[in-house]
């Protein structure tokens, strides 16, 4: 075919692409305009038309190479493309309307997964958040006196009741709680910390860095594995502002070790008229051992042991929203509250609305394992996950076909978020392996991607040529949705 004939065919093909205005007047597109507004609809139609033109040109070139038959009548072709254009525009609009923050299935086996948003809120908290976000609330208004109030007042008594502390304040997260505590109490002074507790929590939270940001001088004592009372004693001088203890939440040292417990450290501090602060990290409000979970120091126990200040997260074991709680001696909390950083790190009404109902659940510990989502997930019996795995397995196997083998297997869940990193909770789930290929590495990665690209992405854990989906966090309400979604899997 001559060059002239080719460009003639190109021109004819492009002429068959409908004009924007004609597409906009189509019934199906008017529905899109109604749903998304004209501006967005026009833009989506333009993009679809551009894509169609590019495809047609590519087609012509391919046809030329294959010397395929002549063009259909232009008007006939135009109608043929209509459905394609509408479908593309509609998909585009739908995709753009979908938020970037999306819900997923957390089947990683890590209950408090920092990258997946940590603790899930119980219904009470969700209802409270909706209420307070859609109506005015007394965030900083004292309803008893009609005067201006402090947002901490809303929640301080409850925190004190649950922890035995004299006073409490709440900030954006626990990193902020530590930064604020050090800034308010130890700026330009020394803080004594054991070398065994200079931890990195992840996400660039390192105790020495926070210390520097707060303008405090870190006075390291002891060694990585052993720190003694006399190490602290010897480090105390006129510039010392604070002794600090950090809970080794995300690692464990075993073997020849020694650390100074909080009660002994408090005695040393108080003997020198100094306060002691304890960064508990995941601090729990209640003894988890009563549910057969590994013991973690409680906030109340730490306060009782003499800690003058305790900092901990709201969205780890506590099971609430992202927040950092600081509890302790009234005089110290007052100083912390007055520091200018408090204003910068304060929580919004969303956080307070979620936190209060979660804390209130702790007043009835006998219902906690049912009502507090985090605790319910952590205490879920393995038999539950086993039954769920037996229900999920057939749909998943059907969706995956013969290429993959889906088996029900025992696995181990983790608490996550740095809490009790060594302890694992017996669970059940489905293990996905490549059945056909001898080495299934690529096929497994392909499967992982397929699951991740589902409307509600499914996230598991790959190890030893196996993709494991731990069903601990797939509760009854979500199980049906998960099973239904299996049919949409495209590999
Ligand atoms: C998790 C953790 C933090 C940081 O808490 P965030 O709420 O994530 O800011 C600080 N210290 C310790 C010991 C922790 O475990």
């Amino acid at each position: 075919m001559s060059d002239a004939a080719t460009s003639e065919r190109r021109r004819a093909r492009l002429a068959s692409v409908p004009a924007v205005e004609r597409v906009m007047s189509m019934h199906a597109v008017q529905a899109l305009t109604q749903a998304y507004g004209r501006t967005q609809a026009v833009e989506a139609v333009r993009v679809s038309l551009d894509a169609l033109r590019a495809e047609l040109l590519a087609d012509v070139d391919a046809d030329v190479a294959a010397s395929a038959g002549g063009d259909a009548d232009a008007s006939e072709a135009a109608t043929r493309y209509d459905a394609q254009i509408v479908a593309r525009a509609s998909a585009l609009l739908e995709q753009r309307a979908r938020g970037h923050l999306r819900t997923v299935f957390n089947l990683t086996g890590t209950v408090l997964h920092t990258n997946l948003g940590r603790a899930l809120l119980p219904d009470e908290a969700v209802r409270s958040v909706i209420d307070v976000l859609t109506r005015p609330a007394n965030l900083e208004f004292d309803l008893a006196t009609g005067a201006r109030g402090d947002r901490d007042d809303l929640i301080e008594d409850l925190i004190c009741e649950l922890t035995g502390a004299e006073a409490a304040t709440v900030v954006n997260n626990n990193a902020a709680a530590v930064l604020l505590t050090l800034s308010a109490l130890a700026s330009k002074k020394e803080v004594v910390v054991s070398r065994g507790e200079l931890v990195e929590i992840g996400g660039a939270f390192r105790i020495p860095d926070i210390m520097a940001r707060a303008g405090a001088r870190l006075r390291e004592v002891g060694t990585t594995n052993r720190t003694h009372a006399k190490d602290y004693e010897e480090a105390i001088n006129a510039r010392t502002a604070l002794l600090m203890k950090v809970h080794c939440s995300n690692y464990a040292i075993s073997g020849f070790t020694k650390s100074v417990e909080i009660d002994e450290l408090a005695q040393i501090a108080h003997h020198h008229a100094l306060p002691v602060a304890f960064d508990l990290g995941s601090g729990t409000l209640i003894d988890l051992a009563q549910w057969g979970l590994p013991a973690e120091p409680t906030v109340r126990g730490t306060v009782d042991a003499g800690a003058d200040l305790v900092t901990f997260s709201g969205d780890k074991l506590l099971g609430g929203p992202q927040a950092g709680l600081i509890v302790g001696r009234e005089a110290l909390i007052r100083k912390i509250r007055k520091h200018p950083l408090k204003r910068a790190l304060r929580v919004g009404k969303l956080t307070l609305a979620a936190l209060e109902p979660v804390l209130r659940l702790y007043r009835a510990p006998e219902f906690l394992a049912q009502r507090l989502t985090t605790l319910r997930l952590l205490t879920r019996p393995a038999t539950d996950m086993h039954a769920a795995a037996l229900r999920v397995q057939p749909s998943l196997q059907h969706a995956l076909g013969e290429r993959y083998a889906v088996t029900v297997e025992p696995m181990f869940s983790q608490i996550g978020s740095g809490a009790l990193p060594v302890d694992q909770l017996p669970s059940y789930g489905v293990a996905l392996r490549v059945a056909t290929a001898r080495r299934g590495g690529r096929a497994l990665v392909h499967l992982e991607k397929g699951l991740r690209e589902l409307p509600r992405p499914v996230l598991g854990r790959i190890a030893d040529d196996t993709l494991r989906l731990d069903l601990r966090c797939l509760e009854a309400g979500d199980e049906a949705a998960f099973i239904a979604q299996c049919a949409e899997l495209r590999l």
Side-chain angles (χ1 to χ4, degrees):
M1 194 180 291
S2 71
D3 282 357
T6 304
S7 42
E8 172 54 25
R9 274 183 66 183
R10 283 165 166 258
R11 199 199 52 71
R13 278 286 177 98
L14 291 184
S16 70
V17 174
V20 174
E21 277 318 310
R22 196 178 75 70
V23 177
M24 291 308 295
S25 69
M26 285 163 55
H27 191 67
V29 177
Q30 278 170 4
L32 294 180
T33 307
Q34 284 288 320
Y36 298 100
R38 189 174 158 81
T39 314
Q40 291 203 87
V42 169
E43 175 61 21
V45 165
R46 286 222 163 90
V47 172
S48 306
L49 291 174
D50 286 347
L52 178 63
R53 277 187 205 101
E55 278 169 20
L56 290 176
L57 291 181
D59 258 11
V60 169
D61 295 341
D63 278 359
V64 169
S67 283
D71 267 328
D73 166 56
S75 73
E76 186 192 311
T79 17
R80 184 149 42 90
Y81 299 138
D82 285 352
Q84 208 178 320
I85 295 162
V86 174
R88 204 191 293 250
S90 167
L92 204 65
L93 287 165
E94 207 172 290
Q95 190 195 336
R96 285 191 39 172
R98 196 196 284 156
H100 288 282
L101 184 59
R102 292 162 59 194
T103 56
V104 302
F105 286 103
N106 171 15
L107 306 188
T108 60
T110 301
V111 176
L112 295 169
H113 198 302
T114 296
N115 304 140
L116 302 181
R118 290 192 186 158
L120 303 177
L121 291 184
D123 290 344
E124 293 86 339
V126 174
R127 282 196 298 273
S128 162
V129 168
I130 293 172
D131 264 4
V132 166
L133 289 192
T134 51
R135 298 175 188 138
N138 62 327
L139 180 63
E140 290 183 345
F141 185 83
D142 186 337
L143 292 173
T145 63
R148 184 174 196 275
D150 186 309
R151 57 186 73 198
D152 274 345
D153 294 346
L154 300 166
I155 208 158
E156 183 176 19
D157 287 351
L158 183 52
I159 299 175
C160 292
E161 174 192 324
L162 297 171
T163 61
E166 288 172 15
T169 183
V170 184
V171 286
N172 185 51
N173 54 23
N174 189 33
V178 176
L179 175 67
L180 178 59
T181 299
L182 293 171
S183 303
L185 303 181
S187 174
K188 301 196 178 75
K189 292 197 166 166
E190 290 184 6
V191 179
V192 187
V193 188
S194 159
R195 288 198 170 90
E197 297 171 5
L198 295 176
V199 301
E200 172 178 314
I201 305 298
F205 178 92
R206 288 174 159 189
I207 290 293
D209 297 344
I210 295 278
M211 199 76 78
R213 285 282 157 201
R217 247 199 83 206
L218 170 63
R219 183 71 191 255
E220 305 173 28
V221 296
T223 60
T224 305
N225 57 330
R226 289 174 70 85
T227 302
H228 305 271
K230 71 170 179 2
D231 295 326
Y232 289 96
E233 292 273 11
E234 286 167 11
I236 293 172
N237 63 59
R239 293 178 304 278
T240 309
L242 189 68
L243 304 193
M244 187 177 176
K245 193 167 171 60
V246 183
H247 183 46
C248 301
S249 45
N250 55 2
Y251 74 105
I253 308 183
S254 58
F256 186 54
T257 65
K258 165 89 175 82
S259 62
V260 178
E261 294 310 315
I262 184 65
D263 48 353
E264 192 180 358
L265 196 58
Q267 277 178 18
I268 298 169
H270 298 162
H271 181 70
H272 294 271
L274 291 170
V276 59
F278 196 168
D279 176 22
L280 266 190
S282 201
T284 164
L285 295 180
I286 200 151
D287 182 13
L288 297 175
Q290 63 187 293
W291 291 284
L293 292 167
E296 174 88 348
T298 65
V299 178
R300 184 183 284 277
T302 309
V303 169
D304 286 350
D308 300 288
L309 286 170
V310 186
T311 51
F312 53 102
S313 294
D315 56 354
K316 292 186 181 172
L317 283 171
L318 194 146
Q322 179 187 305
L325 286 76
I326 312 175
V327 307
R329 302 245 179 258
E330 215 209 314
L332 299 175
I333 295 287
R334 208 180 312 129
K335 218 167 157 189
I336 286 170
R337 224 180 249 149
K338 276 204 241 142
H339 193 276
L341 263 185
K342 170 65 165 68
R343 174 64 177 76
L345 301 174
R346 76 180 185 189
V347 290
K349 59 182 176 176
L350 202 148
T351 305
L352 290 168
L355 187 55
E356 190 183 1
V358 168
L359 290 173
R360 245 190 279 117
L361 292 179
Y362 281 89
R363 283 177 166 164
E366 57 272 49
F367 305 133
L368 205 59
Q370 208 38 51
R371 295 184 182 164
L372 187 69
T373 313
T374 298
L375 192 57
R376 188 172 67 237
L377 292 172
L378 291 175
T379 55
R380 207 175 158 200
T383 50
D384 247 36
M385 282 78 91
H386 186 220
L390 291 173
R391 288 189 297 266
V392 159
Q393 190 272 344
S395 316
L396 206 51
Q397 182 66 75
H398 181 75
L400 294 179
E402 289 175 356
R403 196 159 161 224
Y404 297 95
V406 183
T407 51
V408 172
E409 290 179 14
M411 17 194 104
F412 284 101
S413 318
Q414 293 211 354
I415 295 178
S417 270
L420 320 143
V422 194
D423 295 294
Q424 298 196 314
L425 314 171
S427 183
Y428 261 94
V430 283
L432 282 46
R433 293 188 184 84
V434 179
T436 49
R438 209 157 50 81
R439 285 167 49 86
R442 276 184 59 184
L444 204 63
V445 170
H446 182 68
L447 174 60
E448 185 272 336
K449 185 164 178 283
L451 289 168
R452 194 158 30 83
E453 287 174 353
L454 282 164
R456 182 167 165 196
V458 173
L459 308 176
R461 193 171 45 189
I462 291 188
D464 327 313
D465 288 327
T466 308
L467 174 54
R468 287 187 179 79
L469 305 180
D470 183 323
L471 299 190
R472 178 178 295 274
C473 296
L474 187 71
E475 289 201 285
D478 267 353
E479 192 185 301
F482 176 84
I483 290 174
Q485 188 182 249
C486 283
E488 296 186 44
L489 196 56
R490 300 278 169 270
L491 293 172

